[in-house]
Every structure is written in C-alpha cells, then in structure tokens.
Amino acid sequence: MEFSDLYKQSNSALAQFSPDGRFIAVAVEHRLIVRDSENPKRIHAVFSTPYTAPFVQQVEWSRDSRFVFTASFAQSRVDVWAPDDVDWRCAITDEVARVERAVWSPDSLHVLTFSELDLRLSVWSLIDGDERKYVQFPKMQAGVSFHPDGEFAAVAQRRDLRDYIGVYSTQDWRLVRELALDTADVQGMRWSPDGLHIVAWDTSASFVVQVLNVGGAVKRSVQPADAGLGVRTCVWSPNGQFVVLGGYDGRLHVLSSLTWRAVATLEPKPHISIPTDVFCETELPRALSASRIHTRFDLATIPCMLKTGGKSHKTCVEFSADGSLLCAVNESMPCTVWVWQVRTMRVSAIIQTLHPVRVCVWSPVENVLVFATGAASVYLWRENRGCHLFEIPAASVAVGGVVWNPNGDGMAVLSKGLFAMAYITDQTEPE
C-alpha cells in the first residue's frame, strides 16, 4: 500500500469522493476544497462559504458528480457548487423553519431539506429557483429512502398519531401511494435492491420490523421473542436475497427475502472452539530509540478466548461488494472484527486488534476489508490471503476514518485535521 502526502481537513466525517471517483471534497474550516483523487496535490477547485463557526457541517455530491453541496445547519443554509464551473452557485435558505438535514434527489437536479421539529420536507429545484414543493410531517430520523432506479422516494411521515410511508414520484413529487405502519415510532426504513419491498423498523425500545410490498401489503412482521431492545442496523445484501437486522444485544438476525423468515442468527461470542482463522494483533518488542510502536498479526491457537470490553467507537454490519461475505463489529467486543461466509452462515475469519475498531468498510469493487483503530496504521484483510497492516509514514497520525474511492482504486485515510490518500498496489503484502 502506498500513501500520499498529508493534507489538511477539518472534519473527517465530511470527506467525500465524487461518485465517478475523479475528485475528493474536504472541508477546511469555511472552505470546500476539491482535489484530484489520483493526484491530491492537484487542487481542482476551492469554494469559500459564508459560514461562521461551526463552519461546514455536511458535504454531499450529486449522483452525476456535477454538483456538490455544503450545509451549515447552525445558519440554516445549503450552498450548491459546480466544481467544473466555479462561477456557478446556488444558495438555499428556508425563511420559515431552520434546516436540519439535506440530501440529493437521484436526478441530481433537486435538493431535499428537512425542517426542524419535522414540520416539512422541502424540495428545491436547481433549474427553476422559484420552484419549491413540500412533503408535510416527515420524520427526519427515519429519513428518506430512494427506489433503486431513482423513480420513487419513500418518506416516513406521522399524522393522526400513526406512522405512514408516503411513496412519492421523484419526477413531480406527487404522492403515489401511502403505506400504513403498525409501529409506535418508526425509526428507519430501507428499500430492497429490487425495489419491490420496504423494510421499516420501530423504536429502539422494541424489536419490531415490518416488511411491506409496494402495494402496501404487510408481507411479514418480525418480532423475535428474545430480541430485547430494538433494531440498531438494517442492511440488505447486494442481490436482495437477505436482509440483516442487528439488535442492541449484538446478535444479527438474517432474513431470507423468499420466505421473510430468519435463516440464521449470528451471535458473536468470546470463546472460540470451532476451527477458524483467528488473527490477533500483537505488539513487537520496542527499541529504546523507536518513535512508534510496531505490531503484527499472528494466528491464534484454537480454542481461544477473545477479549471483551473497552470503549466502543463503531458498530458495523456490512456486506462485501458481491454479497458473499458479511462483517460485523459490536459494542461488547469492540476490538474484534467478525467475517462470515453468507452461503454457509459460518465464520470465515476473526480479527482481534489491540485497540477498539473505529471504522470498518469493504472495498466497493472486491472482497477487501479495511479497518482502523486510531493507530498510525491501516489494516487490510483478504479472503484466503490473511490480515496485514500498513504503517503510515507519519507516526503522529491517528487513523480514525477510511473512505473508499467508488472505483476501488484507493481510499482516503483520515486523522484529526489531516488526511492522506492510500493506494493498494499489486505488490505482495508484507509478512
């Protein structure tokens, strides 16, 4: 793995690659800097926003990569920029209610903003500045979920003391269908990859999940008797064959989209007795003059006991690009990354690090898992090729975030106030 020089950024959560992979946009206080992803030394555009502290609070690219918006919710303002036309600009302000969230429409020509107190969802047009449409009583926490082809938007709404999902056409934003939910306080929803079903889940106090088809019929209500608290994560497999529901107890319930019944319950446990690859990070002896701690991965002897506890930074459940693997990190064992084979629902690998995992993400194009723990290293796991770590030349960097380029050629490695590009080479992994 090769690393670029270090560059400034103000908020690791705001670093965003353009969907076509050409650029990476980062916020530096009140400025938005767009760099070339292959050669980050080359600055493509710099935009100066009118925001005061806390400056830029959200950055998001349009799907066609033509536009990027910045948002300052403290000032109730969203600004849209065109990296290929630095003289073009669009400012969005809501004079009635403060803006608390923004999102692009799939057509890249409209910006959606959620108002405070869930008063309304506003649809702003970049073509006609006077055109604005509204969706009343949206639930910002549940958000909006777009149909895979972008033709429809599912918006969680609440009126008359009941939850609904409004299905709107993204062409003219008229209500196409309204789906009633049997939830106390819907917290989220996900459209299936084939666009035929919507999964919605209830408040975090109860594990209640509803699966509806686009006609409004409830295909299945899922409420495991021993689930405890509610749904924390909901992830579809890329082919739509499975949906994984992660609870606050750390267990993962895997549902088949054919029967809408659980085909497996994956429960990470600290005692490992079955044959599997368990990679444990160990610290190497440190020389007196060394300026950094060096570590490596060793295979553990089975049976073994994994360490539990520690400060949790990340709860992660994610399918690999082809859907054949599933990874997870939970709060009870924050130093452990679990990888399962989806076909057999058996553990493929277990990776234990010295410090809690802060970020864990699959490559968008191949089965390569990258994660970080706040050390000056990037960790990489490949199926049948083991787990390796790559040290960043600057020992003072504490990697707290990783963002993949959508084309899979590289990634942004993020630390407090700094970031570097990392590129996976064809060279053999280190020993």
Side-chain angles (χ1 to χ4, degrees):
M1 184 177 289
E2 296 180 351
F3 296 94
S4 72
D5 294 335
L6 293 172
Y7 302 96
K8 287 185 178 181
Q9 55 88 17
S10 298
N11 189 329
S12 298
L14 302 182
Q16 297 285 330
F17 282 97
S18 59
D20 61 9
R22 293 173 55 208
F23 305 115
I24 180 170
V26 297
V28 180
E29 295 184 342
H30 68 285
R31 298 184 304 277
L32 180 72
I33 300 178
V34 180
R35 295 179 180 270
D36 188 294
S37 62
E38 292 186 359
N39 181 10
K41 288 184 177 180
R42 185 185 302 137
I43 296 178
H44 185 76
V46 177
F47 301 105
S48 181
T49 72
Y51 313 150
T52 56
F55 303 118
V56 180
Q57 294 176 280
Q58 185 181 352
V59 174
E60 187 172 322
W61 287 88
S62 61
R63 284 196 183 185
D64 62 6
S65 300
R66 291 176 56 203
F67 305 105
V68 59
F69 75 59
T70 56
S72 172
F73 304 122
Q75 298 177 45
S76 189
R77 178 179 176 128
V78 177
D79 289 272
V80 184
W81 317 88
D84 290 329
D85 185 1
V86 294
D87 294 326
W88 186 94
R89 175 181 175 184
C90 173
I92 297 173
T93 57
D94 194 327
E95 66 281 358
V96 176
R98 185 163 63 92
V99 174
E100 293 194 339
R101 183 185 173 190
V103 64
W104 280 101
S105 174
D107 64 4
S108 300
L109 296 176
H110 295 81
V111 175
L112 284 59
T113 60
F114 287 85
S115 302
E116 61 180 341
L117 304 177
D118 292 343
L119 294 178
R120 67 186 184 186
L121 172 65
S122 302
V123 183
W124 309 78
S125 173
L126 300 187
I127 299 176
D128 184 354
D130 296 328
E131 180 185 354
R132 192 189 317 178
K133 298 184 178 179
Y134 303 102
V135 174
Q136 297 296 327
F137 312 119
K139 301 192 71 170
M140 185 179 68
Q141 185 169 1
V144 56
S145 180
F146 292 105
H147 190 277
D149 63 11
E151 291 186 5
F152 302 100
V155 182
Q157 298 173 268
R158 187 170 182 86
R159 58 178 175 80
D160 301 328
L161 302 178
R162 185 169 185 179
D163 290 334
Y164 295 87
I165 294 178
V167 179
Y168 293 83
S169 168
T170 56
Q171 300 296 319
D172 53 12
W173 291 96
R174 62 181 176 83
L175 180 64
V176 177
R177 184 153 294 164
E178 191 172 64
L179 314 179
L181 297 174
D182 292 326
T183 53
D185 184 13
V186 62
Q187 297 296 296
M189 57 187 174
R190 293 285 187 276
W191 217 309
S192 64
D194 61 10
L196 299 179
H197 298 90
I198 298 175
V199 172
W201 58 94
D202 209 346
T203 173
S204 57
S206 60
F207 200 110
V208 177
V209 178
Q210 283 194 296
V211 182
L212 305 93
N213 63 19
V214 291
V218 178
K219 303 292 290 185
R220 182 76 175 173
S221 291
V222 181
Q223 191 173 6
D226 57 347
L229 295 177
V231 176
R232 189 168 193 170
T233 55
C234 175
V235 183
W236 282 95
S237 63
N239 60 9
Q241 185 177 357
F242 300 104
V243 59
V244 176
L245 305 172
Y248 283 86
D249 57 3
R251 290 186 293 178
L252 304 177
H253 304 270
V254 184
L255 274 61
S256 167
S257 61
L258 296 177
T259 62
W260 298 113
R261 297 182 182 276
V263 296
T265 298
L266 309 177
E267 186 174 2
K269 295 182 178 181
H271 183 259
I272 307 300
S273 58
I274 59 173
T276 189
D277 289 338
V278 179
F279 300 93
C280 294
E281 185 182 12
T282 57
E283 186 175 324
L284 298 177
R286 183 176 182 180
L288 293 177
S289 60
S291 60
R292 67 193 302 169
I293 297 174
H294 299 279
T295 62
R296 72 180 185 191
F297 281 102
D298 295 326
L299 276 172
T301 302
I302 305 298
C304 66
M305 181 69 70
L306 303 174
K307 62 181 179 182
T308 58
K311 183 180 179 180
S312 176
H313 293 276
K314 180 73 174 179
T315 298
C316 165
V317 179
E318 187 175 341
F319 281 96
S320 61
D322 64 2
S324 64
L325 297 168
L326 175 72
C327 75
V329 178
N330 65 44
E331 282 188 331
S332 63
M333 288 182 283
C335 297
T336 305
V337 179
W338 296 76
V339 182
W340 288 273
Q341 282 278 358
V342 174
R343 183 176 59 85
T344 61
M345 295 297 169
R346 293 187 177 182
V347 176
S348 178
I350 301 171
I351 308 159
Q352 183 168 267
T353 58
L354 291 175
H355 305 288
V357 175
R358 293 172 178 257
V359 61
C360 184
V361 61
W362 289 101
S363 163
V365 298
E366 58 181 331
N367 292 345
V368 176
L369 182 65
V370 170
F371 51 102
T373 65
S377 301
V378 176
Y379 302 81
L380 185 147
W381 177 86
R382 294 178 192 255
E383 189 176 18
N384 300 323
R385 297 175 68 176
C387 190
H388 307 277
L389 61 88
F390 300 86
E391 295 181 340
I392 297 176
S396 60
V397 171
V399 181
V402 175
V403 180
W404 276 97
N405 190 318
N407 61 26
D409 288 344
M411 67 199 80
V413 179
L414 304 155
S415 178
K416 184 177 181 180
L418 298 169
F419 84 98
M421 294 295 300
Y423 307 95
I424 298 177
T425 64
D426 295 330
Q427 298 176 358
T428 305
E429 288 90 346
E431 294 294 326

